Each structure stands twice: as structure tokens, then as C-alpha cells.
Amino acid sequence: MRKSVAVLLSGVFAFSLIAVSGCSTAETRTARINVPTAQCMMCANNIEKALKKVDGVSEVDVDMDVKVVNVTYDATRTELAALEKAITGAGYQANQAAADSTVYANLPECCKVPQPQ
């Protein structure tokens, strides 16, 4: 009898572990963020590194042809404002949020918006 109860309880325990691990509270979203001040692949790398430091970010794709970043993230762990803040903190404009001017001033010349002559 004890053996039957032990087998039954271990089966229930195993099933509950499978059920719990199958449940996910993640809310995956993808944000499309305009980065109009990004100029080169160094900019793309800086933006990608900054975003990958944000908790909840799983994928970053910087498209320099259209100056857009597509970011896949867990909305239960971060939000669009935090993604924009990471980009602006790296020295680049993110949507309508302005770049951190101190960081921007210290970027290499290739990463700065060309000034009219």
C-alpha cells in the first residue's frame, strides 16, 4: 500500500512540474524603434550592445538601410520607454526621444550626423 501511495504521489509531483514548466508568464512583443541619428555599422553595434543589456530583451535587429531597430522583448520585464532610454543613453535618438548630448558628443565622427557645409 505504501509503495502504491509513493508511486502515485511521485506521479502527481512529476505531472505538476510539467504543468508548471509549461506555463509561461512571458509576454513577447516586438518594438520598431526609429534611430534617425545612427550613421554607420559602429552605431548599429553600439545600439545592439546597449539594448542587449536591458533585462527582457531577447533579439535585436538594427536595419541601417532604413535606420530602424526591431527589438523582441518580454513585456513583463521591460517596456518601450526602457528600450528607448538604452538607445538614447548610447548617444542616439530613439523615436522622438533625444540622444544623451554628452554621450553623443563623445561618439566617433563617423557616428555623428553630418553637418551642412
Side-chain angles (χ1 to χ4, degrees):
M1 177 72 173
R2 281 187 180 178
K3 190 173 187 177
S4 297
V5 170
V7 169
L8 178 63
L9 288 176
S10 64
V12 169
F13 179 72
F15 177 77
S16 66
L17 284 177
I18 292 169
V20 169
S21 66
C23 294
S24 175
T25 57
E27 188 178 322
T28 303
R29 292 190 185 164
T30 300
R32 181 178 169 97
I33 303 171
N34 295 310
V35 287
T37 59
Q39 300 298 306
C40 63
M41 289 311 295
M42 187 182 300
C43 298
N45 290 334
N46 291 340
I47 291 167
E48 182 176 350
K49 285 178 188 175
L51 286 167
K52 286 187 174 182
K53 290 179 184 176
V54 177
D55 183 43
V57 170
S58 57
E59 289 182 46
V60 177
D61 177 44
V62 182
D63 186 340
M64 289 303 297
D65 292 332
V66 291
K67 297 187 180 189
V68 166
V69 183
N70 292 301
V71 186
T72 303
Y73 65 99
D74 179 349
T76 64
R77 294 167 56 196
T78 194
E79 59 188 5
L80 177 59
L83 303 176
E84 291 174 334
K85 184 176 181 180
I87 295 170
T88 61
Y92 305 93
Q93 181 178 336
N95 292 327
Q96 299 305 311
D100 179 307
S101 60
T102 303
V103 177
Y104 179 81
N106 290 312
L107 290 174
E109 288 304 312
C110 64
C111 293
K112 294 180 180 174
V113 177
Q115 297 299 314
Q117 301 284 329

